[in-house]
Amino acid sequence: MLNRIKSIYKRYFWTDEKYARSIGVKIGRGCKIATRYFGSEPYLIEIGNHVQITSDVRFSNHGAAWVLREKYPKIDFFGKIKIGNNVYIGNCSIILPGVSIGDNVIIGAGSVVTKSFPSNVIIGGNPAKVISDVKKFEETYLSYDLSTKGLDKKKKQDLLINLEEGRFIRK
């Protein structure tokens, strides 16, 4: 009963990062974690420094052995997941077993990452693939910079409401 109360306390009162560390996820410095979906083997996940993991991102360290269990009742296999430094993982992405992500990587929202990727790329899709590189991203989006980081909510809202249309990103 005491363990159940402790588990509930962790789930509702600890930050996502503190919770992740408590279940064995290795996390570097300066990270922002907004998910609690680290699978059944969270101790096989390593996250570098300055990584942002947004909401509903899911990690899976195993899977699919079920279809072989009638023939091999004890089969199980696992893959470590390693996320490099300075990585952004967009909402609802899924990171599958055995994946390594390099440094300076952007993973687009909703991506299903089924294989490893090198540093300095932008990936997205299902399955995820390289769609650009970070240098092109920097060159493109610097022209849209509004330097709103640190503004209070009201000032930011006023700026955005009164901003001319050409200053917004268009796809």
XYZ file of all heavy atoms in Angstrom, residues 37-94:
469
model
N 6.261 9.024 -20.815
C 6.141 7.766 -21.553
C 7.524 7.228 -21.917
O 8.003 7.429 -23.020
C 5.311 7.966 -22.823
C 3.908 8.439 -22.558
C 3.514 9.729 -22.884
C 2.963 7.585 -21.993
C 2.219 10.161 -22.654
C 1.672 8.009 -21.757
C 1.305 9.295 -22.087
O 0.027 9.716 -21.854
N 8.148 6.550 -20.960
C 9.494 6.029 -21.162
C 9.520 4.516 -21.263
O 10.567 3.904 -21.141
C 10.421 6.525 -20.046
C 10.622 8.011 -20.083
C 9.917 8.837 -19.213
C 11.484 8.584 -20.991
C 10.092 10.214 -19.252
C 11.662 9.962 -21.043
C 10.964 10.775 -20.164
N 8.393 3.898 -21.500
C 8.321 2.463 -21.705
C 8.614 1.660 -20.448
O 8.755 2.191 -19.355
N 8.721 0.364 -20.619
C 8.897 -0.535 -19.478
C 10.360 -0.735 -19.089
O 10.642 -1.340 -18.067
C 8.233 -1.887 -19.764
O 8.744 -2.435 -20.961
N 11.303 -0.226 -19.888
C 12.732 -0.304 -19.572
C 13.365 1.090 -19.654
O 14.248 1.346 -20.476
C 13.471 -1.266 -20.518
C 13.092 -2.718 -20.363
C 11.756 -3.059 -21.019
O 11.418 -2.454 -22.052
O 11.047 -3.917 -20.490
N 12.916 2.030 -18.825
C 13.407 3.405 -18.924
C 14.908 3.528 -18.667
O 15.545 4.470 -19.148
C 12.602 4.149 -17.853
C 12.155 3.091 -16.907
C 11.972 1.853 -17.729
N 15.490 2.576 -17.971
C 16.917 2.580 -17.659
C 17.772 2.311 -18.901
O 18.992 2.406 -18.843
C 17.227 1.555 -16.560
C 16.535 0.235 -16.775
C 17.076 -0.731 -17.613
C 15.304 -0.016 -16.181
C 16.422 -1.934 -17.831
C 14.638 -1.219 -16.393
C 15.203 -2.170 -17.222
O 14.538 -3.351 -17.447
N 17.155 2.021 -20.038
C 17.880 1.845 -21.303
C 17.860 3.112 -22.153
O 18.256 3.102 -23.310
C 17.281 0.682 -22.098
C 17.387 -0.700 -21.446
C 16.694 -1.750 -22.320
C 18.841 -1.073 -21.204
N 17.397 4.225 -21.569
C 17.293 5.499 -22.295
C 18.313 6.476 -21.736
O 18.413 6.663 -20.526
C 15.873 6.087 -22.167
C 14.847 5.119 -22.755
C 15.795 7.458 -22.855
C 13.412 5.481 -22.461
N 19.070 7.098 -22.654
C 20.063 8.101 -22.277
C 19.805 9.370 -23.076
O 19.745 9.336 -24.309
C 21.468 7.569 -22.557
C 22.569 8.482 -22.119
C 23.952 7.902 -22.376
O 24.080 6.669 -22.487
O 24.897 8.707 -22.479
N 19.668 10.477 -22.362
C 19.355 11.767 -22.976
C 20.500 12.723 -22.672
O 20.899 12.868 -21.510
C 18.018 12.310 -22.420
C 16.885 11.337 -22.792
C 17.750 13.718 -22.920
C 15.591 11.587 -22.059
N 21.025 13.378 -23.697
C 22.163 14.295 -23.545
C 21.804 15.598 -22.867
O 20.757 15.733 -22.228
N 22.665 16.607 -23.041
C 22.475 17.931 -22.462
C 21.623 18.805 -23.388
O 21.671 18.671 -24.605
C 23.820 18.618 -22.258
C 24.726 17.856 -21.324
O 24.280 17.304 -20.325
N 26.001 17.811 -21.653
N 20.880 19.718 -22.785
C 20.090 20.714 -23.513
C 19.167 20.055 -24.541
O 19.211 20.325 -25.738
C 21.003 21.747 -24.183
C 20.261 22.957 -24.641
N 19.954 23.172 -25.963
C 19.740 23.988 -23.964
C 19.280 24.307 -26.083
N 19.140 24.812 -24.868
N 18.331 19.151 -24.050
C 17.363 18.435 -24.888
C 15.967 18.845 -24.450
O 15.681 18.892 -23.255
C 17.533 16.900 -24.756
C 16.426 16.156 -25.494
C 18.897 16.479 -25.281
N 15.118 19.162 -25.413
C 13.716 19.440 -25.107
C 12.862 18.315 -25.675
O 12.874 18.058 -26.879
C 13.255 20.781 -25.680
C 11.822 21.092 -25.286
C 11.376 22.487 -25.672
O 12.088 23.227 -26.349
N 10.194 22.852 -25.237
N 12.140 17.655 -24.778
C 11.220 16.594 -25.172
C 9.821 17.114 -24.853
O 9.479 17.309 -23.687
C 11.521 15.286 -24.405
C 12.953 14.832 -24.709
C 10.506 14.218 -24.781
C 13.413 13.662 -23.870
N 9.026 17.348 -25.879
C 7.723 17.969 -25.698
C 6.670 16.934 -25.298
O 6.962 15.753 -25.128
C 7.314 18.713 -26.983
O 7.294 17.778 -28.062
C 8.290 19.835 -27.306
N 5.438 17.379 -25.178
C 4.392 16.515 -24.626
C 4.054 15.324 -25.524
O 4.134 15.397 -26.743
C 3.131 17.315 -24.334
O 2.591 17.844 -25.501
N 3.709 14.243 -24.864
C 3.247 13.000 -25.485
C 4.274 12.297 -26.363
O 3.916 11.456 -27.178
C 1.944 13.221 -26.262
C 0.804 13.620 -25.348
O 0.736 13.068 -24.228
O -0.006 14.475 -25.729
N 5.551 12.642 -26.217
C 6.609 11.877 -26.885
C 6.684 10.524 -26.177
O 6.558 10.438 -24.961
C 7.964 12.611 -26.813
C 9.100 11.716 -27.285
C 7.904 13.893 -27.632
N 6.860 9.459 -26.960
C 6.910 8.105 -26.397
C 8.197 7.404 -26.799
O 8.628 7.510 -27.939
C 5.709 7.296 -26.887
C 4.410 7.860 -26.373
C 3.210 7.136 -26.950
N 1.986 7.765 -26.520
C 1.286 7.404 -25.444
N 1.698 6.396 -24.717
N 0.183 8.038 -25.123
N 8.754 6.688 -25.832
C 9.956 5.897 -26.049
C 9.588 4.428 -25.875
O 8.854 4.074 -24.957
C 11.034 6.257 -25.023
C 11.564 7.647 -25.162
C 10.907 8.727 -24.582
C 12.731 7.890 -25.864
C 11.400 10.016 -24.707
C 13.232 9.175 -25.997
C 12.563 10.240 -25.414
N 10.119 3.575 -26.743
C 9.876 2.142 -26.633
C 11.194 1.406 -26.801
O 11.884 1.598 -27.795
C 8.894 1.695 -27.721
O 8.686 0.312 -27.660
N 11.539 0.578 -25.818
C 12.800 -0.156 -25.856
C 12.652 -1.602 -26.305
O 13.626 -2.334 -26.353
C 13.454 -0.162 -24.476
C 13.903 1.206 -24.083
O 13.256 1.854 -23.286
N 14.979 1.663 -24.666
N 11.436 -2.041 -26.568
C 11.231 -3.420 -27.011
C 9.923 -3.480 -27.796
O 9.181 -2.506 -27.871
C 11.191 -4.370 -25.816
C 9.910 -4.312 -25.041
N 9.591 -3.260 -24.241
C 8.871 -5.167 -24.986
C 8.406 -3.475 -23.699
N 7.946 -4.622 -24.136
N 9.645 -4.641 -28.351
C 8.354 -4.792 -29.003
C 8.355 -5.844 -30.089
O 9.395 -6.266 -30.577
N 7.171 -6.287 -30.427
C 6.891 -7.205 -31.526
C 7.287 -8.651 -31.262
O 7.053 -9.508 -32.100
C 7.507 -6.719 -32.835
N 7.861 -8.964 -30.113
C 8.200 -10.357 -29.816
C 6.941 -11.215 -29.688
O 6.992 -12.430 -29.870
C 9.023 -10.446 -28.530
N 5.839 -10.586 -29.405
C 4.570 -11.285 -29.216
C 4.266 -12.261 -30.349
O 3.823 -13.375 -30.104
C 3.452 -10.254 -29.097
C 2.110 -10.886 -28.939
C 1.169 -11.067 -29.920
C 1.560 -11.452 -27.764
N 0.066 -11.700 -29.420
C 0.281 -11.951 -28.079
C 2.014 -11.588 -26.457
C -0.528 -12.569 -27.154
C 1.192 -12.197 -25.542
C -0.059 -12.687 -25.893
N 4.528 -11.852 -31.580
C 4.171 -12.706 -32.723
C 5.009 -13.977 -32.798
O 4.639 -14.915 -33.497
C 4.247 -11.945 -34.069
C 3.283 -10.773 -34.081
C 5.659 -11.485 -34.362
N 6.113 -14.033 -32.067
C 6.972 -15.219 -32.064
C 6.829 -16.046 -30.788
O 7.442 -17.105 -30.677
C 8.439 -14.792 -32.218
C 8.775 -14.004 -33.489
C 10.220 -13.562 -33.455
C 8.468 -14.814 -34.727
N 6.010 -15.604 -29.849
C 5.968 -16.267 -28.542
C 5.336 -17.648 -28.548
O 5.627 -18.449 -27.676
C 5.266 -15.375 -27.523
C 6.126 -14.217 -27.108
C 6.289 -14.084 -25.622
N 7.272 -13.051 -25.328
C 6.979 -11.797 -25.069
N 5.725 -11.409 -25.036
N 7.940 -10.943 -24.818
N 4.473 -17.946 -29.482
C 3.930 -19.317 -29.518
C 5.041 -20.303 -29.856
O 5.122 -21.383 -29.295
C 2.772 -19.420 -30.508
C 1.493 -18.836 -29.942
C 0.284 -19.178 -30.776
O 0.216 -20.304 -31.309
O -0.591 -18.317 -30.880
N 5.907 -19.897 -30.767
C 7.013 -20.750 -31.176
C 8.176 -20.686 -30.182
O 8.834 -21.691 -29.928
C 7.478 -20.340 -32.575
C 8.453 -21.282 -33.202
C 8.700 -20.892 -34.652
C 9.646 -21.862 -35.322
N 9.877 -21.503 -36.727
N 8.445 -19.480 -29.647
C 9.546 -19.261 -28.702
C 8.971 -18.569 -27.462
O 9.026 -17.331 -27.358
C 10.630 -18.372 -29.321
C 11.116 -18.838 -30.665
C 10.653 -18.246 -31.835
C 12.052 -19.869 -30.761
C 11.102 -18.670 -33.074
C 12.505 -20.296 -32.001
C 12.019 -19.693 -33.146
O 12.469 -20.113 -34.372
N 8.430 -19.304 -26.530
C 7.686 -18.737 -25.412
C 8.435 -17.702 -24.567
O 7.814 -16.834 -23.968
C 7.324 -19.955 -24.554
C 7.407 -21.112 -25.477
C 8.438 -20.772 -26.488
N 9.748 -17.755 -24.523
C 10.498 -16.826 -23.672
C 11.212 -15.730 -24.458
O 12.000 -14.971 -23.888
C 11.509 -17.589 -22.821
C 10.831 -18.482 -21.813
C 11.838 -19.030 -20.849
C 11.084 -19.826 -19.805
N 11.671 -19.737 -18.504
N 10.951 -15.611 -25.743
C 11.663 -14.621 -26.557
C 11.383 -13.198 -26.067
O 10.275 -12.870 -25.661
C 11.319 -14.768 -28.059
C 12.285 -13.913 -28.890
C 9.862 -14.396 -28.330
C 12.220 -14.181 -30.369
N 12.404 -12.401 -26.076
C 12.318 -10.985 -25.751
C 13.576 -10.332 -26.306
O 14.644 -10.935 -26.288
C 12.269 -10.775 -24.233
C 11.071 -9.951 -23.800
O 10.401 -9.364 -24.666
O 10.806 -9.911 -22.587
N 13.469 -9.135 -26.800
C 14.639 -8.407 -27.271
C 14.450 -6.932 -26.983
O 13.331 -6.445 -26.865
C 14.915 -8.652 -28.766
C 13.687 -8.598 -29.629
C 13.221 -7.405 -30.131
C 12.992 -9.764 -29.938
C 12.096 -7.360 -30.929
C 11.870 -9.732 -30.739
C 11.415 -8.518 -31.232
N 15.568 -6.225 -26.845
C 15.543 -4.846 -26.392
C 16.529 -4.013 -27.198
O 17.453 -4.537 -27.788
C 15.923 -4.773 -24.905
C 15.033 -5.608 -24.040
C 15.328 -6.933 -23.795
C 13.880 -5.075 -23.511
C 14.497 -7.716 -23.020
C 13.032 -5.845 -22.731
C 13.347 -7.171 -22.481
N 16.337 -2.704 -27.193
C 17.264 -1.784 -27.821
C 17.415 -0.543 -26.971
O 16.423 0.007 -26.486
N 18.655 -0.133 -26.757
C 18.900 1.112 -26.029
C 18.532 2.283 -26.928
O 18.605 2.194 -28.157
C 20.361 1.224 -25.622
C 20.761 0.211 -24.575
C 22.210 0.412 -24.179
C 22.599 -0.552 -23.073
N 23.990 -0.333 -22.626
N 18.141 3.388 -26.314
C 17.860 4.625 -27.037
C 18.815 5.682 -26.516
O 18.941 5.870 -25.303
C 16.397 5.074 -26.828
C 15.437 4.048 -27.449
C 16.172 6.462 -27.422
C 13.973 4.319 -27.160
N 19.490 6.364 -27.448
C 20.427 7.417 -27.056
C 20.084 8.695 -27.828
O 20.040 8.680 -29.061
C 21.865 7.009 -27.336
C 22.833 8.058 -26.861
C 24.265 7.604 -26.925
C 25.075 8.697 -26.270
N 26.402 8.758 -26.513
N 19.850 9.761 -27.076
C 19.555 11.068 -27.653
C 20.763 11.957 -27.375
O 21.193 12.088 -26.223
C 18.284 11.695 -27.012
C 17.094 10.723 -27.065
C 17.969 13.037 -27.659
C 16.623 10.343 -28.439
N 21.315 12.585 -28.407
C 22.502 13.433 -28.266
C 22.216 14.745 -27.565
O 21.175 14.931 -26.930
N 23.128 15.690 -27.695
C 23.016 17.019 -27.089
C 22.302 17.992 -28.026
O 22.408 17.872 -29.249
C 24.409 17.578 -26.778
C 25.168 16.712 -25.808
O 24.641 16.286 -24.789
N 26.417 16.431 -26.140
N 21.602 18.950 -27.430
C 20.954 20.020 -28.187
C 19.968 19.448 -29.213
O 20.056 19.714 -30.403
C 21.990 20.913 -28.866
C 21.400 22.259 -29.245
O 20.600 22.810 -28.502
N 21.774 22.775 -30.406
N 19.023 18.675 -28.718
C 18.025 18.010 -29.564
C 16.640 18.488 -29.156
O 16.365 18.685 -27.970
C 18.120 16.469 -29.430
C 16.992 15.775 -30.170
C 19.473 15.985 -29.943
N 15.778 18.690 -30.139
C 14.376 19.035 -29.915
C 13.525 17.905 -30.474
O 13.674 17.536 -31.637
C 14.026 20.349 -30.631
C 12.569 20.691 -30.556
C 12.054 21.389 -29.475
C 11.694 20.314 -31.577
C 10.705 21.698 -29.400
C 10.346 20.622 -31.503
C 9.852 21.310 -30.425
O 8.521 21.615 -30.352
N 12.630 17.349 -29.642
C 11.739 16.273 -30.087
C 10.309 16.787 -30.017
O 9.785 17.073 -28.933
C 11.901 14.997 -29.226
C 13.373 14.547 -29.217
C 10.995 13.890 -29.763
C 13.657 13.351 -28.322
N 9.671 16.926 -31.183
C 8.335 17.498 -31.288
C 7.236 16.608 -30.718
O 7.386 15.390 -30.617
N 6.116 17.234 -30.392
C 4.961 16.570 -29.789
C 4.597 15.268 -30.490
O 4.625 15.177 -31.711
C 3.727 17.475 -29.838
C 3.827 18.648 -28.918
O 4.902 19.186 -28.684
N 2.709 19.082 -28.391
N 4.226 14.299 -29.683
C 3.654 13.020 -30.134
C 4.597 12.178 -30.985
O 4.142 11.275 -31.687
C 2.329 13.239 -30.855
S 1.109 14.100 -29.865
N 5.870 12.451 -30.943
C 6.828 11.607 -31.671
C 7.011 10.293 -30.932
O 6.788 10.207 -29.727
C 8.173 12.316 -31.817
O 8.046 13.436 -32.667
N 7.429 9.277 -31.669
C 7.687 7.962 -31.098
C 9.117 7.570 -31.464
O 9.496 7.612 -32.633
C 6.698 6.911 -31.648
C 5.260 7.320 -31.328
C 7.022 5.525 -31.104
C 4.211 6.474 -32.031
